[in-house]
Amino acid sequence: AVTLLTPLVSRLQRHVQREEDGIFRAMRHSGEYLDEVDDLEREHSDFGKAIAALDPEAGDFHAGVIRLLDDLAVHIDREDYGIFPVSVRGRSNVGAG
């Protein structure tokens, strides 16, 4: 499990950094959906803490991995079906009118 999680964690870290430096920064600049951006960034931090707390030797390791993956799936859905579509719509309306 740890062997499989290592590349996932690396990709997740790169993804989070690009997301926060790109789309979240742009959304903050626009002044829209700030509470949602705050929540998503907080979840990014929580994922980092959850990953760091995983102990392959612990009896609850399996449950911790499942919980992390479930939480990550919910987070991705919130981004894919919530904040990302409104950010694209917002950018396509820039300069319109």
Side-chain angles (χ1 to χ4, degrees):
V2 173
T3 301
L4 294 173
L5 282 174
T6 300
L8 172 66
V9 169
S10 178
R11 285 181 172 204
L12 182 60
Q13 290 169 336
R14 283 192 312 271
H15 169 81
V16 163
Q17 193 63 52
R18 290 191 338 224
E19 197 170 70
E20 290 181 0
D21 289 346
I23 194 166
F24 289 177
R25 182 177 297 181
M27 299 222 42
R28 285 191 186 289
H29 182 69
S30 77
E32 293 184 323
Y33 306 102
L34 298 178
D35 290 340
E36 182 68 6
V37 170
D38 286 344
D39 287 346
L40 292 168
E41 285 184 336
R42 190 172 13 265
E43 288 177 9
H44 287 170
S45 176
D46 291 346
F47 288 133
K49 292 173 189 171
I51 290 166
L54 288 175
D55 178 3
E57 302 300 319
D60 66 345
F61 177 72
H62 181 263
V65 170
I66 297 299
R67 186 171 42 255
L68 172 67
L69 295 176
D70 286 346
D71 290 347
L72 187 57
V74 170
H75 176 86
I76 290 168
D77 283 350
R78 286 181 58 213
E79 291 176 338
D80 286 351
Y81 302 114
I83 201 79
F84 292 163
V86 298
S87 71
V88 172
R89 188 188 71 226
R91 276 189 275 165
S92 67
N93 290 334
V94 173

